[in-house]
Amino acid sequence: MSLMIGVAGCFFSVAAFAILLETPPNYLIHAGAVGAVGGFVYLIGTKCGLGVVLSSFLSALSIAFLAHLFARIFKEPVTVFLTAGILPTVPGAGMYRTAYYLIQNNSERSGYYLMQTLEIAGVIALAIFIVDTLFKIVGKREKRYTRPGTP
């Protein structure tokens, strides 16, 4: 039951954030779906014991893949779906904990959360880069095999 609540929370928070980003209204549901799938992958990963960093990587991979897929289907920029959709994966709690333990003068815990936050941010960037590169390779391959004059 908590998984369903988490996924629904991801959907509604991403849809609301997409409104703030002025996403076209007919794509709010799709942006929410991207975030919900990413939240689902993250929650399943952490429940299976994969760890926060690996779960964030898999979540960001699924978000980037869906964002690229929706961008191709609806002929919109990838950022329409990716910018709002990546919200559940962003390590905001890690940054909060870093600052909190820094204020509490606990440099060991602060350093731990800082490193974890940087790792998560790095794997998010890596996942987006990997999916973007794969879609560019596939796009070039498709263009190479189509004959001139064919749609």
Side-chain angles (χ1 to χ4, degrees):
M1 186 65 168
S2 65
L3 181 67
M4 298 289 283
I5 293 171
V7 171
C10 287
F11 176 83
F12 289 116
S13 64
V14 168
F17 190 63
I19 292 170
L20 291 176
L21 293 175
E22 298 180 3
T23 299
N26 51 336
Y27 299 124
L28 292 177
I29 302 287
H30 301 94
V34 169
V37 169
F40 176 75
V41 170
Y42 178 80
L43 291 172
I44 289 292
T46 54
K47 284 191 187 294
C48 291
L50 295 180
V52 178
V53 177
L54 183 56
S55 296
S56 296
F57 178 69
L58 296 174
S59 174
L61 274 177
S62 65
I63 290 167
F65 179 78
L66 271 179
H68 275 275
L69 193 65
F70 283 166
R72 300 299 186 282
I73 291 171
F74 299 116
K75 300 197 184 334
E76 290 288 330
V78 177
T79 55
V80 168
F81 306 103
L82 183 63
T83 306
I86 205 73
L87 181 70
T89 311
V90 173
M95 285 305 300
Y96 171 80
R97 289 182 185 123
T98 300
Y100 177 78
Y101 287 115
L102 194 61
I103 291 169
Q104 295 294 322
N105 234 1
N106 189 342
S107 59
E108 183 180 329
R109 302 264 315 186
S110 178
Y112 170 77
Y113 285 115
L114 176 63
M115 287 306 298
Q116 186 182 56
T117 301
L118 291 175
E119 288 173 355
I120 292 170
V123 298
I124 290 171
L126 181 64
I128 292 170
F129 174 75
I130 289 170
V131 172
D132 188 51
T133 303
L134 290 175
F135 269 86
K136 283 183 181 177
I137 290 171
V138 169
K140 285 182 182 179
R141 187 170 289 169
E142 286 176 358
K143 286 180 184 177
R144 188 180 334 155
Y145 291 119
T146 56
R147 287 184 284 165
T150 59

